[in-house]
Amino acid sequence: MSQTPRIIPIPVSCRLTGGAPFPLTAHTVVATGGEASLRGVAGQLAKLLGVAAAESAPAGGNLIALRVDPALTAKLGAEGYLLTVTAGGVSIRGGGAAGVFYGTQTLRQLLPPDLERFGWRAGGGGLTVAALEIEDRPRFSWRGSLLDVSRHFSPVAEVKQYLDTLALHKLNVLQWHLVDDQGWRIEIQQYPKLTSVGAWRDSTVRVGDEPNLDDIPHGGFYTQEEIREVVAYAAERFITVVPEIELPGHSSAALAAYPQFGNTDAPGYAPKVQSRWAIFPETYAPKPETLAFLDHVFTEVLALFPSKFVHIGGDEAMKDQWEASPTTRAFMQANQLQDGHELQSWFIRRTENFLTQHGRRLIGWDEIQEGGLAPGAAMMAWRDVKWAIEAARLGHDVVMAPTSHTYFDYSEGTAEEEGGAIGAQTGLEKVYAFDPIPAELEPAHHGRVLGAQGQLWRERMPSLPVVEHRAFPRLSALAEVVWSPVARKDYADFRRRLPWLLARLDRLGVNYRRPRQATLPAAIPMVPHA
Ligand code: ACM
């Protein structure tokens, strides 16, 4: 084929096979062959197309056949798939149910954007898909996005909409930043004040008018039932929700609710749910009641989130209150901890032990490495990829989330263009150019890089439309970074394909940012394309 298909992220290979196209009509049936693990995938595809789903194929039917093929698992992995389109039918075979799901997302992008609203009717008399064969599998297993709901809260419906958009991009991890100084957002039944007190702040610093406060209360939290609902919704889209429960710092909201778990004898100790964007001195104190509290919190968290990885934050913990508290200083002395960095490591190691005993794995921001990384811990590099290189060489799994390329709270354009975003100019092309495998990292350690993640820190993103405006299409570019083979990456070609994705986001009501010099066609033509 002379041009790559208009799919983002670009598949590993795509071959137009010639011959007549597949007609998508009112009579098309999505068939699973009775495979229970595909019922949800089939239901979602049938709903999108506006056609029926069936367990078995009706004779002579116009079929989209979904199948898990164990023979493909070895070749393409559980997330890989083969998509074959002929006049007689569409076949999507996956190495696992996830692969089949990704095949359906590719089929979706082979159909015009109006599909999103009208299903098969989008073409008037039906639609066609060109005869082709696509073989595909992801480059990385961690294809993530962090959503901060502490600085600004999003109700469940918004989180679901965000998950929908991640799924379209074949992204598979939502790091849910549930806890920070400005709000605690997850119900913990044993500690009700975490949400009755910790989920609410009385005011927020005004965007563009800092440091003035708006005097408007802000808050919200997810009940455990809502958390389960989001986790299940994500799972149907093959997205793992990784909860982030920050410790030992970023704990002002928790300590506002339960001050007894902090350094109560540090002079001036008075925790509150914070209204400003800064780093605050509140840290958990290493005393038995605090450790019991943390264990109880994690016990409830683990019951809600099946994710193997649990993110414990670990970033930006100020050491001041530990140093200022006679009790904490005595604890450090008794445990031969030289300084705050070693106490920070002590907290992380203890949490790592707890998670390991419960069959989980700890992941944390790169500061957790400063006093030595716990043996099985994974690390998320944000300040600099050099931390990831060091950790990978020591045999730790790493996820790349550097401020330089993946912080989408940083502006895309100049400060004048952006009105309030952090003025670092992380443009679309820069994001696209990111390679999660650093050039300096020896090939023997490449397997330690699980993938990469785009961050949506919401100090200056009060609502979902603003989040979407910062996220897309930069997260679309990052999706191609983490999914597609390096040999398939081509920025000019990505920009050629992008208008079709943006037209689709239009139909879905996603408030993406229109890229500069975008060559958006006036109208996306209603023709099958590949
Ligand atoms: C971070 O941005 N503090 C991880």
Side-chain angles (χ1 to χ4, degrees), residues 111-245:
L111 288 156
D114 277 348
L115 178 81
E116 307 294 337
R117 285 196 192 157
F118 305 114
W120 67 271
R121 290 181 182 82
L127 298 166
T128 59
V129 186
L132 52 69
E133 199 169 283
I134 288 176
E135 181 176 318
D136 204 8
R137 65 180 302 177
R139 182 177 173 208
F140 292 104
S141 63
W142 188 300
R143 304 183 300 278
S145 174
L146 175 146
L147 184 65
D148 171 6
V149 291
S150 172
R151 275 56 176 266
H152 283 98
F153 180 67
S154 270
V156 167
E158 291 189 358
V159 179
K160 287 182 174 175
Q161 176 166 337
Y162 193 67
L163 287 165
D164 286 339
T165 315
L166 297 186
L168 171 66
H169 290 84
K170 303 186 176 86
L171 294 165
N172 70 345
V173 176
L174 177 75
Q175 180 174 333
W176 208 4
H177 189 77
L178 289 162
V179 168
D180 216 307
D181 297 304
Q182 294 82 5
W184 180 285
R185 308 272 175 239
I186 171 173
E187 177 193 14
I188 300 293
Q189 286 169 350
Q190 192 158 348
Y191 295 98
K193 284 201 282 185
L194 284 173
T195 42
S196 66
V197 175
W200 305 94
R201 61 177 184 256
D202 53 16
S203 196
T204 301
V205 76
R206 291 161 65 109
V207 175
D209 186 28
E210 299 176 23
N212 294 321
L213 298 173
D214 65 6
D215 294 322
I216 301 170
H218 179 87
F221 66 92
Y222 308 102
T223 64
Q224 295 204 346
E225 195 176 325
E226 287 175 322
I227 298 267
R228 284 194 198 92
E229 184 184 337
V230 168
V231 168
Y233 190 87
E236 286 164 10
R237 286 149 187 80
F238 297 86
I239 296 169
T240 301
V241 182
V242 175
E244 182 181 359
I245 305 294

Side-chain angles (χ1 to χ4, degrees), residues 23 42-43 50 74 92 122 127 155 178 185 187 276 290 362 367 374 427 443 456 508:
I92 301 175
L127 298 166
L178 289 162
R185 308 272 175 239
E187 177 193 14
R276 299 179 189 279
T290 306
L362 177 147
E367 287 96 329
L456 278 303
L508 293 166

Side-chain angles (χ1 to χ4, degrees), residues 151 244 246 250 315-316 365 367 382 403 407 455 457:
R151 275 56 176 266
E244 182 181 359
E246 285 261 19
H250 285 282
D315 57 320
E316 301 176 320
W365 298 108
E367 287 96 329
W382 73 280
T403 54
Y407 268 44
Q455 278 50 249
W457 298 109

